[in-house]
Amino acid sequence: MPGPHSPSASSSMVEDICSMVGAVTIVLMIWKFIRFIRLYTRSSSIKRYCKGKDAWALVTGASDGIGLGFAHELARLGFNVILHGRDPTKLEGVQARLQQNYPEVNFRIVVLDASSTSHKQIDKLVASLQDLHITVLINNVGGGAKISPFELLTADEVDAVINLNARFPTLITRALLSKLTKSIRPSLILTIGSAGDPVVPYAVTYGGSKAFNMAWSSSLKLELKAEGNNVEVLAVSVGKVTETAFCKDPVTFWTPDGRTMARAALQRVGCGKAVVVGYIGHAIQKFVLDILPASVFASVVSSHMKMLREKERKKQKKR
Ligand SMILES: NC(=O)c1ccc[n+]([C@@H]2O[C@H](COP(=O)([O-])OP(=O)(O)OC[C@H]3O[C@@H](n4cnc5c(N)ncnc54)[C@H](OP(=O)(O)O)[C@@H]3O)[C@@H](O)[C@H]2O)c1
């Protein structure tokens, strides 16, 4: 009979441990899969922010792309919508079309250039909305990244990207926050970020600003919860979206249009996470990218961005 220290006893112990680890891994994978399916099939709690006919949502960067998609989706749900942008003529056209589609809700326009504004102007803008019951803030405005080596950018170009993507959402939230926390109604602050790793060579300030958005929003979520406030804070990361100002590629499962992206983001409201990938196609892409070894991921991202940089350089040469 083999003793407890014989070679066959220890090999069967190794087999037992391996099958236990295998079983635990399979259970964990099934658990993760169920959670994934649940996240993308659960019903949204966005309607809790739209009780009564006087609930308003403020959407920054609402004249195009995903922001315009948010304006449509929120109006469809019965919210009155404040449309923020920088071009009054474009905003007026958008407002007229929205009003035609949703005659039962109200729209208002606010104009402010998010890349060069002072905090006093932001405070003034928010003060002009004091008469409205704002229950939802969508921090959508962003982008504006020039694909270029960092050292070739001017200080003004770097400033503009930080202002547009990080400073403006931070300051407009600060200006609005006491109104939200003092309200007896629950409210929502939803901030748009960029999907996956914020490591973006040739758009390094954009990547850094988007990483800031995610960390800032997650921290604010915990702080407001610790203070006992009734404000949901959610950061939604976004992959490639088409029918936006800079992308007119065909719509596919992997590349939704702005409205589909906005609907998906609103569908995630109430999920309880600090950061969520809004659209299921982007979540699958992120899952695959996360499996890649870091060195393979780095080389894929670098060569893709380098190729975009080359395209941009050729375009500039032709001008
Ligand atoms: N599209 C994507 O593939 C993608 C991927 C990841 C993350 N995102 C993020 O998603 C958000 C929306 O992107 P998008 O693709 O929908 O952008 P978009 O189509 O370019 O629309 C941006 C919106 O913001 C406004 N805007 C731009 N600069 C502004 C400024 N300086 N001051 C005031 N308003 C300004 C635009 O106004 P005008 O109409 O006047 O231009 C427009 O209403 C951004 O935060 C972006 O970083 C997008």
Side-chain angles (χ1 to χ4, degrees):
M1 231 172 118
H5 301 298
S6 71
S8 64
S10 52
S11 88
S12 89
M13 210 162 83
V14 169
E15 271 173 26
D16 286 352
I17 290 171
C18 285
S19 38
M20 227 159 69
V21 170
V24 170
T25 309
I26 288 168
V27 168
L28 279 179
M29 278 168 65
I30 293 171
W31 173 239
K32 268 191 142 183
F33 182 69
I34 291 170
R35 277 180 36 153
F36 181 85
I37 297 296
R38 165 100 186 97
L39 180 62
Y40 291 96
T41 51
R42 59 174 289 285
S43 50
S44 167
S45 54
I46 183 68
K47 286 210 173 124
R48 73 187 285 255
Y49 304 111
C50 189
K51 298 261 159 70
K53 283 202 172 277
D54 62 343
W56 283 79
L58 167 56
V59 181
T60 68
S63 56
D64 216 326
I66 304 168
L68 179 57
F70 273 116
H72 270 283
E73 286 301 311
L74 289 162
R76 186 180 63 80
L77 289 165
F79 285 93
N80 302 296
V81 186
I82 304 155
L83 309 163
H84 158 263
R86 58 183 161 179
D87 178 345
T89 315
K90 189 170 177 180
L91 281 167
E92 278 160 20
V94 164
Q95 180 183 22
R97 285 192 294 279
L98 284 166
Q99 195 67 76
Q100 227 172 19
N101 283 330
Y102 311 98
E104 68 288 358
V105 304
N106 299 301
F107 296 93
R108 227 193 239 192
I109 288 174
V110 286
V111 182
L112 203 54
D113 189 326
S115 60
S116 60
T117 191
S118 72
H119 62 80
K120 282 194 179 136
Q121 286 171 302
I122 295 173
D123 288 350
K124 210 169 144 196
L125 178 146
V126 170
S128 75
L129 304 171
Q130 279 309 315
D131 58 315
L132 307 179
H133 286 292
I134 298 175
T135 56
V136 171
L137 166 62
I138 308 282
N139 280 319
N140 163 76
V141 79
K146 185 170 164 186
I147 310 291
S148 160
F150 183 57
E151 65 169 329
L152 298 185
L153 296 175
T154 65
D156 282 344
E157 285 170 334
V158 173
D159 251 353
V161 171
I162 296 172
N163 285 345
L164 180 62
N165 291 282
R167 189 171 163 275
F168 185 78
T170 307
L171 289 178
I172 200 163
T173 305
R174 188 206 69 86
L176 197 62
L177 195 55
S178 63
K179 193 174 163 66
L180 302 184
T181 54
K182 285 194 186 95
S183 171
I184 48 161
R185 300 184 193 190
S187 47
L188 165 73
I189 301 169
L190 189 153
T191 299
I192 294 294
S194 213
D197 206 315
V199 177
V200 196
Y202 299 96
V204 302
T205 313
Y206 175 76
S209 303
K210 290 297 176 195
F212 169 88
N213 291 152
M214 300 292 97
W216 167 80
S217 177
S218 303
S219 308
L220 185 64
K221 178 186 177 70
L222 292 191
E223 181 180 304
L224 292 184
K225 196 170 176 204
E227 290 290 311
N229 288 297
N230 200 4
V231 183
E232 176 177 354
V233 183
L234 179 64
V236 175
S237 66
V238 169
K240 188 175 169 192
V241 176
T242 188
E243 291 182 13
T244 59
F246 297 101
C247 179
K248 303 291 177 202
D249 289 355
V251 173
T252 66
F253 173 71
W254 306 110
T255 312
D257 61 16
R259 184 142 179 204
T260 307
M261 182 61 241
R263 194 180 312 127
L266 294 174
Q267 199 61 42
R268 305 288 83 76
V269 170
C271 70
K273 286 175 164 265
V275 179
V276 66
V277 180
Y279 174 70
I280 189 167
H282 295 157
I284 297 170
Q285 286 170 336
K286 179 171 162 24
F287 176 80
V288 173
L289 288 174
D290 285 351
I291 297 174
L292 291 180
S295 59
V296 175
F297 177 77
S299 108
V300 169
V301 171
S302 296
S303 49
H304 176 69
M305 291 307 293
K306 210 167 173 180
M307 186 262 293
L308 291 184
R309 158 69 182 150
E310 256 329 282
K311 265 193 186 168
E312 193 63 31
R313 215 173 47 85
K314 282 183 188 151
K315 244 200 255 168
Q316 278 167 6
K317 252 188 173 176
K318 275 190 196 157
R319 278 184 207 142

